[in-house]
Amino acid sequence: MQFLDLTEHHAAIEKEALAALATVFKNGDFINGKAVSEFEKAFATHHGVSHALGMNSGTDALVLGLEALGIGAGDEVITSAFTFFATAEAIAQVGATPVFVDIDPATFNINPALVEKAITPKTRAILPVHIFGQPAHMDELMLIAKNHNLKVVEDACQAVGAEYKGKKVGGFGDVGCFSFFPSKNLGACGDGGIATTNSPELAAQMKLLKSHGSSPQDKYFNIALGYNTRLDTMQAAILAIKLPHLNEYNEKRAVHAQAYNEALSKIGDCVVPVPSADTKHVYHQYTFRTSRRDELKKHLDELGIPTMIYYRVPLHLQPVLKYLGYAEGSLPETERACKEVISLPIYPELSAENRTAVIEAIRSFFA
Ligand SMILES: *Cc1c(COP(=O)(O)O)cnc(C)c1O
């Protein structure tokens, strides 16, 4: 059993994907090809937003989103420390300061009450992460943003297709950022990412930044210092084939999650992820807690059951972010989560037999 089996995941679409790649070969439009604009349109429609801009990665989508909003040196951006490093890296890369607030232990997402307390005259934006595919508390966060005149950039890299009160995440804030890293719920066969927005101005600004700041009128007339970040035509062609299957992929993940929830909630001191009634969790990871995490992980390793720890080191304690000055103990719920969480295999094609084997291995530990 593998933690994630991408070979199995792609088997069903392989023929179609290879045919799509053959078309790209035939057209020769490897950069900014037809498949890219078509996929951007399809992705925007699927998400109910007016603009989607393909990029090289989810990290680039975060960087360009922040930069398009004019966020940089001297600005503070409030975010979570219980996430993948890229979230805070993007904030720091544009020259701004990440300000970490603690999480709500029930959802692993930033606690809106603490966001409000962290606002200073330098705060420019809130950057919620829909961690593991569970939507952040968007009503509360959007209200805080409105009351304090702050921008919102959503890190939806783990939450493609997730919904909050019937609306897809990534469409609440000024910019939504998605990753097509192969392991994500909608993965490319290589790197890729996309930024969404409903603002024509922000879309134009991101478009400018993603292509060397080249003037829309004249490519060789540069009006901004930008980047070279594009969604590859071949990746777009593959993603266009996978996008119509996204709901089905996410539903299969939810079936696994429900089976894990039912079993694990009755085993030992396991605390399972219970989605709130008004959210659609897409289970990028199935992550639960136990006070005996390290012992459990060792037991599962010995039985050949693949597991991962997302995340062992919170961002406020990462060596490179020491300059921000956070001490151990400053974000108690985040730090407790880092000691208690463990993630189980949950890709769509995971077999019921393997899922049961995972559950039984956990049961044998607590027996
Ligand atoms: C994967 C991920 C990213 C970055 O995506 P890349 O495409 O790998 O750059 C950013 N934030 C979170 C929360 C992620 O999980």
Side-chain angles (χ1 to χ4, degrees):
M1 189 187 331
Q2 292 182 48
F3 186 75
L4 166 64
D5 191 334
L6 289 175
T7 307
E8 214 177 327
H9 179 55
H10 287 119
I13 57 124
E14 186 175 329
K15 244 179 101 180
E16 219 183 327
L18 292 178
L21 292 182
T23 304
V24 177
F25 259 79
K26 210 174 106 216
N27 295 344
D29 57 348
F30 300 114
I31 301 293
N32 293 335
K34 188 162 152 257
V36 176
S37 46
E38 282 176 1
F39 175 71
E40 286 174 333
K41 219 172 272 166
F43 191 88
T45 304
H46 189 268
H47 281 76
V49 293
S50 49
H51 306 272
L53 295 110
M55 296 185 193
N56 182 59
S57 68
T59 306
D60 282 357
L62 288 164
V63 169
L64 269 71
L66 290 164
E67 230 178 274
L69 285 164
I71 292 166
D75 297 333
E76 293 178 354
V77 178
I78 298 172
T79 192
S80 173
F82 191 67
T83 172
F84 178 59
F85 185 65
T87 308
E89 186 179 35
I91 297 169
Q93 284 290 14
V94 302
T97 304
V99 173
F100 297 117
V101 297
D102 213 352
I103 55 169
D104 162 9
T107 62
F108 300 114
N109 283 317
I110 46 171
N111 181 335
L114 300 176
V115 170
E116 184 121 45
K117 283 193 191 131
I119 295 170
T120 75
K122 289 182 174 174
T123 308
R124 287 284 316 281
I126 306 171
L127 202 162
V129 184
H130 306 292
I131 201 74
F132 305 141
Q134 164 89 302
H137 303 280
M138 291 316 293
D139 275 355
E140 292 88 340
L141 294 172
M142 293 308 293
L143 185 64
I144 294 167
K146 190 167 165 242
N147 289 342
H148 296 268
N149 197 21
L150 304 175
K151 304 296 184 187
V152 175
V153 176
E154 295 175 70
D155 183 338
C157 287
Q158 300 189 0
V160 64
E163 292 175 10
Y164 179 84
K165 298 192 175 169
K167 181 173 158 178
K168 291 216 162 51
V169 303
F172 288 86
D174 297 278
V175 180
C177 304
F178 297 86
S179 166
F180 303 127
F181 187 82
S183 66
K184 301 290 161 85
N185 290 31
L186 180 64
C189 297
D191 273 307
I194 208 163
T196 58
T197 183
N198 284 312
S199 154
E201 293 79 23
L202 285 174
Q205 191 60 22
M206 287 192 279
K207 195 169 176 187
L208 185 71
L209 289 172
K210 88 191 193 90
S211 188
H212 305 290
S214 294
S215 154
Q217 283 77 39
D218 180 351
K219 185 177 165 191
Y220 297 102
F221 197 69
N222 302 83
I223 57 174
L225 288 177
Y227 298 85
N228 171 14
T229 179
R230 305 182 263 251
L231 179 60
D232 190 90
T233 306
M234 294 215 205
Q235 299 305 338
I238 294 170
L239 287 164
I241 287 163
K242 293 181 76 175
L243 181 63
H245 297 287
L246 177 61
N247 286 343
E248 160 205 327
Y249 295 156
N250 284 341
E251 276 159 26
K252 285 181 177 166
R253 286 173 182 270
V255 169
H256 295 314
Q258 204 179 338
Y260 280 143
N261 273 349
E262 269 167 33
L264 300 185
S265 57
K266 300 183 196 98
I267 299 176
D269 69 347
C270 298
V271 178
V272 301
V274 181
S276 73
D278 50 16
T279 66
K280 180 179 161 193
H281 190 327
V282 293
Y283 296 99
H284 172 59
Q285 299 297 347
Y286 181 87
T287 303
F288 72 100
R289 296 170 184 261
T290 162
S291 64
R292 299 173 65 194
R293 195 269 312 275
D294 289 334
E295 289 166 82
L296 172 64
K297 167 116 180 99
K298 190 162 166 278
H299 175 82
L300 296 175
D301 285 350
E302 282 164 8
L303 293 176
I305 302 291
T307 58
M308 297 292 280
I309 306 298
Y310 298 120
Y311 295 92
R312 202 182 279 281
V313 182
L315 299 194
H316 67 295
L317 301 179
Q318 289 288 356
V320 71
L321 296 179
K322 281 242 166 74
Y323 74 94
L324 294 171
Y326 290 89
E328 205 163 333
S330 56
L331 300 175
E333 287 299 346
T334 298
E335 291 167 37
R336 184 167 70 91
C338 289
K339 293 187 176 83
E340 294 183 351
V341 291
I342 181 164
S343 303
L344 303 179
I346 193 163
Y347 61 97
E349 299 75 20
L350 178 73
S351 69
E353 293 74 33
N354 279 341
R355 192 180 68 211
T356 302
V358 173
I359 292 167
E360 290 316 312
I362 296 169
R363 203 189 303 282
S364 72
F365 171 77
F366 285 101

